[in-house]
């Protein structure tokens, strides 16, 4: 295989199962990074492809200490804009994607350098869902599962603050006195 120049970028297809998919308008971008993306648990063909390119260990998801986050190869794929999503029958898809869904992703692998650090990022442009798992929300309902529905608040809880406390401003607290007698 010819040597690939990742500074210019390299386009390829990766496939596998997804977790934490935020790839559509309905899911919206990740709240922290403000990018669309997911964790892609690579299938055997994608593992072989990245191994043959000599970059598998460079693109695998790592923790802040630089250790692999997962025993199996997992990469983070991301996009600044909403990537084009399709079902296997070529229909556009813009719904929610559940963990364990399988996709084929059209990606661009590009070298980056920032503040003395270097790496490779995998940018997603489009994907096809080959197996859709229904999205299941991790709603707060699970937190309250099995607890009785008490309806009204028990006695003593009606005065629990639920908003910001009412705090005096500095001017209210110290008055509008002349500050020329302060030691600083």
């Amino acid at each position: 295989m010819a040597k690939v120049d990742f500074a210019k970028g390299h386009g390829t297809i990766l496939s596998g199962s997804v977790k934490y998919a935020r790839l559509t308008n309905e899911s919206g971008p990740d709240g922290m990074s403000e990018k669309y993306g997911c964790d892609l648990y690579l299938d055997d063909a994608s593992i072989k492809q990245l191994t043959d390119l000599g970059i598998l260990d460079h693109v695998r998801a790592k923790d802040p200490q630089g250790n692999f986050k997962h025993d199996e190869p997992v990469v983070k794929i991301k996009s600044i804009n909403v990537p084009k999503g399709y079902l296997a029958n070529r229909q556009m898809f813009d719904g929610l994607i559940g963990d364990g869904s399988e996709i084929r992703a059209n990606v661009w692998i590009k070298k980056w350098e920032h503040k003395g650090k270097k790496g490779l990022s995998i940018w997603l442009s489009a994907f096809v869902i080959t197996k859709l798992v229904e999205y299941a929300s991790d709603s707060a309902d699970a937190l309250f599962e099995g607890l009785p529905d008490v309806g009204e608040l028990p006695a003593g809880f009606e005065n629990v603050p639920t908003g910001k406390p009412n705090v005096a401003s500095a001017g209210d607290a110290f008055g509008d006195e002349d500050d020329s007698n302060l030691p600083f």
Side-chain angles (χ1 to χ4, degrees):
M1 176 177 276
K3 183 146 173 76
V4 176
D5 184 1
F6 290 104
K8 292 181 180 177
H10 176 71
T12 191
I13 303 291
L14 296 177
S15 53
S17 65
V18 299
K19 194 162 188 181
Y20 312 120
R22 304 200 46 98
L23 300 171
T24 62
N25 280 314
E26 189 167 341
S27 67
D30 179 80
M32 297 281 282
S33 69
E34 297 182 358
K35 291 183 176 88
Y36 294 86
C38 67
D39 288 352
L40 182 63
Y41 290 71
L42 299 172
D43 64 10
D44 293 337
S46 296
I47 292 169
K48 181 180 180 335
Q49 181 180 35
L50 295 177
T51 301
D52 290 347
L53 287 169
I55 62 169
L56 180 62
D57 287 346
H58 298 285
V59 294
R60 284 183 61 186
K62 297 177 181 93
D63 63 20
Q65 291 76 32
N67 302 314
F68 296 129
K69 281 186 174 182
H70 310 277
D71 292 334
E72 67 265 36
V74 176
V75 296
K76 291 197 173 288
I77 57 176
K78 57 191 169 187
S79 177
I80 294 170
N81 301 313
V82 181
K84 293 178 182 174
Y86 300 94
L87 295 171
N89 64 3
R90 299 178 187 252
Q91 287 184 328
M92 294 289 291
F93 179 82
D94 199 31
L96 296 176
I97 301 170
D99 289 350
S101 294
E102 294 177 4
I103 68 168
R104 288 182 47 133
N106 188 24
V107 299
W108 188 254
I109 303 170
K110 182 103 169 86
K111 181 179 173 183
W112 58 267
E113 189 171 340
H114 183 70
K115 295 184 179 180
K117 292 187 174 190
K118 298 177 182 180
L120 293 170
S121 289
I122 303 177
W123 295 96
L124 173 67
S125 61
F127 63 93
V128 175
I129 299 171
T130 56
K131 176 185 163 197
L132 181 61
V133 174
E134 185 177 343
Y135 176 80
S137 172
D138 289 342
S139 71
D141 294 340
L143 180 63
F144 297 97
E145 189 174 318
L147 296 175
D149 185 11
V150 294
E152 297 293 320
L153 288 174
F157 280 90
E158 60 275 347
N159 293 326
V160 173
T162 57
K164 281 181 151 178
N166 189 6
V167 180
S169 68
D172 294 339
F174 300 108
D176 290 329
E177 298 178 12
D178 183 17
D179 61 0
S180 61
N181 62 347
L182 295 175
F184 50 90

